Amino acid sequence: MIAELRQMAARRLTDSNLLPATAMALFRAQLAFAGATVWSLAEYDFDDGFYRVECPHCHIGVTVAIGIYGRYSAQRDWDRGDIHRRPLTQADPGNLDGLAAWMHTMARHLGLTPLAEGLTWLFGRAECPACASSFVIGDQYATENEPHHSSDGPIPPGGW
Ligand SMILES: [Zn+2]
């Protein structure tokens, strides 16, 4: 059953006349099949998207904006908004690897141009506004949100 669904989804990926909503659903389905739970469920809002991650070096909360309000990392302040902003560094699509490269290629094949563009920012680098160390936003986001890679403890008996 799963194999059939996977084949069906793969066939549909070659159809270039998909409605964006259908294309997006297939994109999510492919990621779910691949076991990339975080990315099958992510919002991909590149109009006014914000991602909350933790700096892997100093562990402060970092707000990453990818959208019409800018593309930056910052510290979110209750009164003053996003402060200590630093511009993001966009990834070169040719330098993406692994899942990020696959997602970018799939987005392009599906005709989801804004998504493909957004992914080069999402898998680009952010600088921590506090300690200035640089990290790949998408990798950090996945590390914090993917149940497979939880640092809270061992995988429960029986696995996922
Ligand atoms: Zn830091």
Side-chain angles (χ1 to χ4, degrees):
M1 182 59 180
I2 294 294
E4 282 172 21
L5 280 173
R6 191 200 294 262
Q7 277 178 7
M8 191 175 73
R11 266 204 310 276
R12 293 292 304 270
L13 290 181
T14 61
D15 183 344
S16 56
N17 296 317
L18 294 171
L19 293 171
T22 308
M24 198 65 213
L26 284 169
F27 180 78
R28 292 184 185 285
Q30 288 291 301
L31 287 165
F33 289 143
T37 312
V38 166
W39 297 122
S40 73
L41 299 174
E43 274 192 56
Y44 303 108
D45 179 357
F46 297 121
D47 289 327
D48 59 351
F50 289 95
Y51 294 82
R52 288 276 303 165
V53 294
E54 195 176 86
C55 169
H57 185 70
C58 73
H59 304 291
I60 68 149
V62 179
T63 294
V64 176
I66 305 174
I68 54 174
Y69 299 112
R71 297 183 177 104
Y72 58 82
S73 56
Q75 275 179 279
R76 181 150 286 184
D77 182 273
W78 189 258
D79 295 317
R80 292 179 290 163
D82 291 343
I83 57 173
H84 306 311
R85 296 184 187 195
R86 291 166 185 256
L88 304 181
T89 304
Q90 187 176 23
D92 181 335
N95 290 337
L96 293 174
D97 59 9
L99 187 61
W102 189 64
M103 287 164 72
H104 184 263
T105 302
M106 189 160 53
R108 284 198 6 242
H109 282 199
L110 287 165
L112 296 167
T113 308
L115 175 62
E117 160 85 8
L119 288 170
T120 62
W121 290 101
L122 189 56
F123 287 97
R125 299 188 78 86
E127 249 182 51
C128 172
C131 75
S133 68
S134 127
F135 57 90
V136 175
I137 304 151
D139 289 352
Q140 185 61 20
Y141 180 79
T143 299
E144 290 176 23
N145 293 285
E146 180 72 69
H148 295 85
H149 301 294
S150 171
S151 56
D152 295 337
I155 292 171
W160 291 91

